[in-house]
């Protein structure tokens, strides 16, 4: 329990006013699956989570929300100045305890952050507010608890203030140390996200060999498998065995192991080895069905961890404190019932180990209901 608590983790997602969601608060467990009919807001919830993650990594507001008006709640009425916007937030648990981050974003007439609040241990640690609409800044105030109880300074209105605090707060007082710890806990949890949406049509072709990390669409799956299955690496035998077991469970026909073949032009392609003797030809993964390809890609993500996945690796954080949240919209897309059941079982086992958390959206949650360690959030009315 203490080891898990030491890894900052997002335990609640709040969509106070975001597209179709109003006043919504979703508790998150080590494995959380959103389900519901088309249009119920499954993908929207994951998009809000990803948006917070990108802001936590320092991405500018306009890059995170290229179409901000689409995030404004339906039928939202502009105020007297013609302003409309949206509000999202989250709670991050970790060594500091629960820390809440709440964000108000103005979408019209221009995109900007107009309010941010960070709270923890019963105190308001940071607030920002738009004081002068003519300036590209907000007025920030953070807890000091020294000779001056609050420090005030302008911050840019297109960046998450919490992510900027480690650059602005010196930690000279007990209050500043708490602000720093809460901000770092929040930013670490937000940065530790990998968004995964395997694209089978891009995974069928050989790719250049290299040390690149797995991309969002998993189109470089063969190159990453080549690195992951390298027999010279520590822990490789166990990883190979788990990947082979996952492939056997989710792919048609006999499978002895996953392998990688180097082609004459220097590219590599992934194979399913069909028997140990080699008398039966291996199957290039490019010949597999869409469901098999998505299944293999998601299994690889779950079994490899942050060192193999594209994204912010936060190298300054000790390995024991690192965490990874996998965001997977359409987690069961293109999978048959057997594949969905096997992938959910694998995800549940991996998440129980405490190294990875999963937040996904599924069309059919029947395989997950009642499963150990799985929270199903039903968005149907």
């Amino acid at each position: 329990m203490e080891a898990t608590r030491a890894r900052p983790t997002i335990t609640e997602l709040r969509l106070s006013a975001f597209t179709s969601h109003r006043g919504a608060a979703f508790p998150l467990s080590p494995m959380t699956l959103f389900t519901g009919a088309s249009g119920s807001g499954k993908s929207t919830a994951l998009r809000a989570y990803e948006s917070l993650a990108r802001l936590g990594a320092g991405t500018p507001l306009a890059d995170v929300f290229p179409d901000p008006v689409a995030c404004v709640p339906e039928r939202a009425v502009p105020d007297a100045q013609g302003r409309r916007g949206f509000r999202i937030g989250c709670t991050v648990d970790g060594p500091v305890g629960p820390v809440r981050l709440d964000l108000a974003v103005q979408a019209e007439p221009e995109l900007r952050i107009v309010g941010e609040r960070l709270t923890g241990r019963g105190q308001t640690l940071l607030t920002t507010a738009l004081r002068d609409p003519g300036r590209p800044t907000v007025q920030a105030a953070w807890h000091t608890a020294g000779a001056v109880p609050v420090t005030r300074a302008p911050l840019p209105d297109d960046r998450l203030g919490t992510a900027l605090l480690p650059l602005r707060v010196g930690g000279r007082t007990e209050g500043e140390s708490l602000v720093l710890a809460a901000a770092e806990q929040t930013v670490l949890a937000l940065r530790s996200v990998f968004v995964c949406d395997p694209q089978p049509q891009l995974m069928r072709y050989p790719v250049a060999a290299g040390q690149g990390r797995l991309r969002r669409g998993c189109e470089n799956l063969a190159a990453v498998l080549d690195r992951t299955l390298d027999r010279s690496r520590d822990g490789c035998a166990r990883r190979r065995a788990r990947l082979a077991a996952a492939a056997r469970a989710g792919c048609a026909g006999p499978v002895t192991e996953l392998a990688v073949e180097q082609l004459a032009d220097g590219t590599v392609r992934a194979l399913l080895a069909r028997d140990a003797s080699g008398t039966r030809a291996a199957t290039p993964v490019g010949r597999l069905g869409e469901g098999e390809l998505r299944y293999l890609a998601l299994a690889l993500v779950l079994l490899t961890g942050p060192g193999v996945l594209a994204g912010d690796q936060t190298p300054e954080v000790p390995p024991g404190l690192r965490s990874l949240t996998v965001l997977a919209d359409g987690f069961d897309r293109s999978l048959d019932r057997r594949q969905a059941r096997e992938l959910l079982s694998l995800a549940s086992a991996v998440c129980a180990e405490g190294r990875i958390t999963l937040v996904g959206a599924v069309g059919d949650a029947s395989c997950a209901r009642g499963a150990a360690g799985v929270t199903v959030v039903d968005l149907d009315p």
Side-chain angles (χ1 to χ4, degrees), residues 90-181:
C90 64
T91 297
V92 178
D93 207 352
V96 177
V99 175
R100 287 176 57 104
L101 170 66
D102 293 288
L103 193 66
V105 178
Q106 176 185 291
E108 294 178 322
E110 58 183 322
L111 179 64
R112 62 200 315 177
I113 295 174
V114 294
E116 181 178 346
R117 182 180 293 270
L118 188 71
T119 58
R121 294 188 180 176
Q123 299 185 69
T124 299
L125 304 177
L126 168 72
T127 59
T128 71
L130 182 65
R131 300 299 185 195
D132 183 352
R135 294 179 177 272
T137 61
V138 290
Q139 183 65 31
W142 57 83
H143 180 62
T144 305
V148 178
V150 174
T151 298
R152 303 182 189 277
L155 292 177
D157 66 358
D158 67 341
R159 297 290 197 281
L160 186 71
T162 297
L164 299 176
L165 285 179
L167 304 175
R168 302 294 297 269
V169 180
R172 292 181 292 271
T173 67
E174 183 177 345
E176 284 190 341
S177 295
L178 175 58
V179 169
L180 271 176

Side-chain angles (χ1 to χ4, degrees), residues 14 44 147 153 206 354 369:
R14 289 185 296 281
T44 298
R369 296 188 190 280

Side-chain angles (χ1 to χ4, degrees), residues 8 43 61 82 99 127 149 296 368:
S43 297
L61 193 65
V99 175
T127 59
L296 283 176

Side-chain angles (χ1 to χ4, degrees), residues 39 57 69 105 114 118 129 161 173 205 230 251 268 277 297 304 328 330-331 360 374-375:
V69 176
V105 178
V114 294
L118 188 71
T173 67
Y205 307 103
D230 184 347
C251 297
V268 292
S277 66
T304 52
F331 187 68
V374 181
T375 297

Side-chain angles (χ1 to χ4, degrees), residues 31-270:
M31 182 173 171
T32 305
L33 297 175
F34 290 87
T35 189
S38 178
S40 61
K42 305 185 297 294
S43 297
T44 298
L46 267 65
R47 179 154 51 98
Y49 194 127
E50 181 185 359
S51 298
L52 287 168
R54 296 184 65 194
L55 289 170
T59 306
L61 193 65
D63 292 341
V64 176
F65 299 107
D67 184 14
V69 176
C71 302
V72 177
E74 299 170 1
R75 297 182 296 278
V77 178
D79 65 12
Q81 286 75 41
R83 297 175 298 191
R84 295 197 309 158
F86 52 90
R87 290 180 290 127
I88 56 178
C90 64
T91 297
V92 178
D93 207 352
V96 177
V99 175
R100 287 176 57 104
L101 170 66
D102 293 288
L103 193 66
V105 178
Q106 176 185 291
E108 294 178 322
E110 58 183 322
L111 179 64
R112 62 200 315 177
I113 295 174
V114 294
E116 181 178 346
R117 182 180 293 270
L118 188 71
T119 58
R121 294 188 180 176
Q123 299 185 69
T124 299
L125 304 177
L126 168 72
T127 59
T128 71
L130 182 65
R131 300 299 185 195
D132 183 352
R135 294 179 177 272
T137 61
V138 290
Q139 183 65 31
W142 57 83
H143 180 62
T144 305
V148 178
V150 174
T151 298
R152 303 182 189 277
L155 292 177
D157 66 358
D158 67 341
R159 297 290 197 281
L160 186 71
T162 297
L164 299 176
L165 285 179
L167 304 175
R168 302 294 297 269
V169 180
R172 292 181 292 271
T173 67
E174 183 177 345
E176 284 190 341
S177 295
L178 175 58
V179 169
L180 271 176
E184 289 170 352
Q185 173 174 300
T186 303
V187 170
L188 177 57
L190 290 173
R191 288 172 62 183
S192 304
V193 170
F194 177 67
V195 182
C196 183
D197 184 14
Q199 301 295 311
Q201 71 275 17
L202 303 178
M203 297 164 57
R204 299 188 181 280
Y205 307 103
V207 297
Q211 295 298 311
R213 292 187 169 96
L214 190 67
R215 300 181 193 127
R216 178 179 186 141
C218 302
E219 62 270 21
N220 62 332
L221 177 138
V224 173
L225 271 175
D226 188 34
R227 174 189 175 192
T228 303
L229 300 178
D230 184 347
R231 295 179 185 276
S232 66
R233 294 179 180 273
D234 293 338
C236 181
R238 182 170 183 267
R239 187 181 299 116
R240 290 177 71 96
R242 295 186 79 179
L243 284 169
R248 278 193 295 273
C251 297
V255 176
T256 55
E257 67 172 346
L258 277 169
V260 177
E261 178 184 28
Q262 179 117 20
L263 302 179
D265 62 358
T267 60
V268 292
R269 65 176 180 177

